[in-house]
Amino acid sequence: AINSAAGPFDIAYVDAGHNDWFDDDFAWQFDVIVDALRAKGTKVILWATYTTEGVRSSQATAAYHWNNAMLRHLTSLPQYHDVLLADWAGYSAGHREWFFDGTHMTQPGAYAVADYIARWAAAALRSPCPAPRSPGGTIPSRCPVPAPSNGPADPFALYR
């Protein structure tokens, strides 16, 4: 999909591999995706961690934990200076209402992840946030990186 897409890209958000949890070539696949994005001129790659709460398969949960550990390791290496770890697992922790099954999102979860991606993109590009952190709040002129375990209680309310 990346290779056939028109480029260049300034920023990319990767949330892939949920259906391939049984594949043990995660690090190789990470490199393939990063190389493809770099070839498209991507300046910033945001890679989302995998949620592990409420996932129906214990094998998938174990694989997501392993993949998250691998992501933390890979993004700490200097050759991946342009890959930032977007801790969606931490951000969405405690919000089981955002998911049907730990992976697939409910409507509030769809709002939450869209807001999360927009905040990450704004932070990476040093731009204003897309919305206040809470209804009626102020919008920072430079959006901070979304903090883990800090998802909004009501993602709908941010955009009403």
Side-chain angles (χ1 to χ4, degrees), residues 130-153:
R133 283 291 310 137
S134 59
T138 60
I139 297 175
S141 60
R142 187 167 174 189
C143 200
V145 169
S149 300
N150 197 22

Side-chain angles (χ1 to χ4, degrees), residues 1 115 120 146:
D115 178 68
W120 252 110

Side-chain angles (χ1 to χ4, degrees), residues 20-84:
D20 302 323
W21 56 264
F22 50 83
D23 196 331
D24 59 358
D25 285 338
F26 184 80
W28 174 81
Q29 293 168 353
F30 177 90
D31 279 331
V32 168
I33 292 169
V34 168
D35 289 346
L37 288 169
R38 286 175 175 165
K40 290 290 184 177
T42 308
K43 307 279 187 286
V44 177
I45 301 166
L46 303 172
W47 201 300
T49 57
Y50 298 87
T51 57
T52 57
E53 289 184 44
V55 177
R56 291 183 183 166
S57 163
S58 61
Q59 293 170 317
T61 300
Y64 293 165
H65 278 289
W66 171 256
N67 289 349
N68 285 342
M70 183 64 68
L71 282 171
R72 286 181 179 84
H73 169 71
L74 291 168
T75 57
S76 74
L77 300 174
Q79 65 264 37
Y80 298 114
H81 61 89
D82 52 347
V83 183
L84 304 176

Side-chain angles (χ1 to χ4, degrees), residues 8 10 14 35 45 59 90-91 94 101-102 113 148:
D10 291 327
V14 181
D35 289 346
I45 301 166
Q59 293 170 317
Y91 190 79
D101 58 3
V113 75

